[in-house]
Amino acid sequence: MPTALVTGASRGLGAVFATRLARDGHDLVLVARDRMGLERVSASARQCGVAVEVVVADLSDERGLAAVQRRLADRSRPVDLLVNNAGVEGEGQFAVADMWDLQAEIDTNVTAVMRLTRAALPGMIERGRGGVVNVASFAGYLAGPGNAYAATKAWVLTFTDTVSASLAGTGVGMIALCAGRMRTGKHPVPEGASAMWLEPEAVVDECLADLARGRTLSVPGWRYRAVVDLLELPRRTLRTLAKLAGRGRQQQPPAEAATVRLRAAA
């Protein structure tokens, strides 16, 4: 069976990813700080007949992060799908936020995503198959005032865009999930705003379908997608120009070589 590793799997969107992947027949490696939450999710997943490994780790702690890195790099127990879902969202504006809370945001939302992806990709590329889901946020496009969390999610979007471009032809896919507000129970749903709140099961279904299609960005919900399509237009233009410039550079060396040969013949 294929194996998926899901971070932040003890509740919310991570638990939904775990449940869906177990139904699809994936063995699971579930990572989170909350052992009781992990055990609850793993018990549910095992009812689907899959093997579940529980790793209790705080990704903002060096020892916890290193342990998950080692698991991903273990070629004898390959991981076929990495879901970088764990995230920390601090409260308050940047100038008055606690410094250690801000550091935990960076360690979990940025450093852990980068290091876990780096640990997973070499084995996936070697095997010619695999996938990485990086859970970003709609806040990565339209941040609230003074919000460091939004800045980390903007990094996740750019990181995914950059690394996925290097995976063409490897059989490995990478996608950023740009989700808006979801009914995970983490935040109360205000009256009159329910249309903007998404069901997490539908978010996961759409994300995995987009990954299977080879897309690098998944934006569930037509309202969010309409805004992101508009905001993504300049980036798509820049990507196209970069590809054209790349082709031009690739064609340049032979022309230069021909010039050298002509000069030598003269």
Side-chain angles (χ1 to χ4, degrees), residues 241-254:
L241 292 173
K243 287 179 181 178
L244 292 173
R247 292 191 189 115
R249 286 195 295 271
Q250 290 169 6
Q251 293 169 0
Q252 189 65 26

Side-chain angles (χ1 to χ4, degrees), residues 5-11 29-39 53-72 85-88 107-108 112 116:
L5 187 148
V6 183
T7 67
S10 61
R11 61 174 65 88
V29 182
L30 304 181
V31 180
R33 294 176 295 180
D34 177 9
R35 181 182 292 276
M36 291 182 63
L38 283 178
E39 294 294 350
E53 178 183 348
V54 168
V55 179
V56 180
D58 181 349
L59 297 182
S60 68
D61 175 76
E62 175 59 32
R63 289 175 297 180
L65 178 56
V68 183
Q69 281 183 268
R70 288 192 297 271
R71 177 62 184 85
L72 284 165
N85 167 75
V88 175
D107 292 341
T108 305
L116 296 185

Side-chain angles (χ1 to χ4, degrees), residues 175-263:
I175 194 167
L177 171 56
C178 180
R181 289 295 190 185
M182 290 176 286
R183 299 174 186 271
T184 60
K186 182 178 180 181
H187 301 284
V189 180
E191 288 187 22
S194 59
M196 296 296 293
W197 289 69
L198 307 174
E199 297 296 336
E201 292 79 9
V203 169
V204 168
D205 290 346
E206 187 164 343
C207 176
L208 294 177
D210 285 340
L211 178 65
R213 295 185 185 107
R215 295 175 180 171
T216 58
L217 179 64
S218 180
V219 188
W222 68 266
R223 293 176 178 83
Y224 292 107
R225 192 155 50 246
V227 176
V228 170
D229 282 347
L230 182 63
L231 296 173
E232 275 287 313
L233 185 58
R235 293 167 62 124
R236 284 197 294 268
T237 303
L238 289 172
R239 288 189 203 103
T240 301
L241 292 173
K243 287 179 181 178
L244 292 173
R247 292 191 189 115
R249 286 195 295 271
Q250 290 169 6
Q251 293 169 0
Q252 189 65 26
E256 291 177 351
T259 302
V260 171
R261 285 196 299 270
L262 287 172
R263 288 175 180 169

